[in-house]
Amino acid sequence: MSKPSRKSSPPPAPPIKTRKRTPPLALVGVALAALAIGVVVFVQRDSVQPEAPAQAAAAPALPPEALASTGPAPAVAVQAPAPDPQPAVVLGPHPQKDFPPLQLPAYPLSRSPEMITAAYRFAAEHPEILTYVPCFCGCERGGHRGNEDCFVQKRGANGDVTEWTEHGMECAVCLDVAQQAMQMHASGASVRDIRAAVEQKWASQAAQSHSHTPTPEPPR
């Protein structure tokens, strides 16, 4: 009886090495973490950069107290009240030998030619009086400062009258003021007394017409 044949069994298969796979949830977590870090860095960078412009824009908006503390405030010029007008040169009595011709108009005037001629001569030789005597006819609107300007237009370097003005010969107010001053001077009155008397006489007319030359006060 034959022995049963042994069948050789196949060799065992080598073990199979399996690769461990990363769970998909871990990958998602890593991606989310990286994304979060990137967002934080981006936000921080944007929040830091605008600080300089914001500070620059805010710089001019300083309160007035801060601006005032940076230095002394500029001085404000205050205009002083205008002093009483004074003549450029205080003249004295000035006798004059030769006078420029005085051409009176052919039509009748309010005063006689003799009175007109006397007033013009008095204005020429006594600027120390009529320079300080006002007029009340409204001639200040023409630049007159006193009764002398109603008769004298120009004087030379030596004080002589070289040119008359025709205003006085046709204005009764100018002539009457000059005649009053002439008469008071002849009686020995001072310049201050003459001016006070003239202003008292013409005060009512000056109040009604609001006319009064800006005549300087006589020197003391």
Side-chain angles (χ1 to χ4, degrees), residues 72-113:
V76 179
V78 178
Q79 186 176 3
D84 292 336
Q86 294 292 333
V89 178
V90 178
L91 300 175
H94 184 78
Q96 185 168 338
K97 182 178 180 181
D98 298 320
F99 296 92
L102 183 64
Q103 301 292 336
L104 298 180
Y107 52 82
L109 298 173
S110 58
R111 300 293 182 265
S112 66

Side-chain angles (χ1 to χ4, degrees), residues 3-206:
K3 296 181 181 179
S5 61
R6 294 181 178 176
K7 294 182 179 179
S8 59
S9 60
I16 299 173
K17 296 182 179 180
T18 60
R19 183 182 299 175
K20 295 183 179 180
R21 296 181 178 180
T22 304
L25 293 177
L27 293 176
V28 173
V30 172
L32 291 177
L35 179 61
I37 293 174
V39 170
V40 171
V41 173
F42 179 77
V43 170
Q44 289 180 352
R45 185 182 61 183
D46 290 347
S47 62
V48 172
Q49 289 180 351
E51 288 182 357
Q55 293 176 357
L62 293 176
E65 295 79 8
L67 293 176
S69 62
T70 58
V76 179
V78 178
Q79 186 176 3
D84 292 336
Q86 294 292 333
V89 178
V90 178
L91 300 175
H94 184 78
Q96 185 168 338
K97 182 178 180 181
D98 298 320
F99 296 92
L102 183 64
Q103 301 292 336
L104 298 180
Y107 52 82
L109 298 173
S110 58
R111 300 293 182 265
S112 66
E114 293 77 15
M115 177 183 174
I116 295 174
T117 303
Y120 271 86
R121 179 163 183 167
F122 184 78
E125 295 189 327
H126 292 282
E128 84 285 3
I129 297 177
L130 294 191
T131 297
Y132 303 105
V133 174
C135 190
F136 308 90
C137 69
C139 57
E140 72 275 3
R141 291 186 286 271
H144 289 189
R145 294 163 55 88
N147 190 239
E148 186 211 13
D149 293 335
C150 301
F151 307 98
V152 176
Q153 180 69 31
K154 187 182 301 183
R155 291 181 182 268
N158 62 348
D160 285 357
V161 174
T162 59
E163 184 179 348
W164 304 113
T165 177
E166 297 178 356
H167 175 80
M169 67 178 65
E170 298 183 352
C171 179
V173 175
C174 301
L175 291 169
D176 290 347
V177 168
Q179 185 183 37
Q180 182 181 359
M182 183 169 49
Q183 291 173 349
M184 292 187 67
H185 172 69
S187 64
S190 66
V191 179
R192 288 190 170 274
D193 291 340
I194 294 173
R195 174 168 178 152
V198 168
E199 287 192 327
Q200 182 178 4
K201 178 179 179 179
W202 297 92
S204 59
Q205 177 167 331

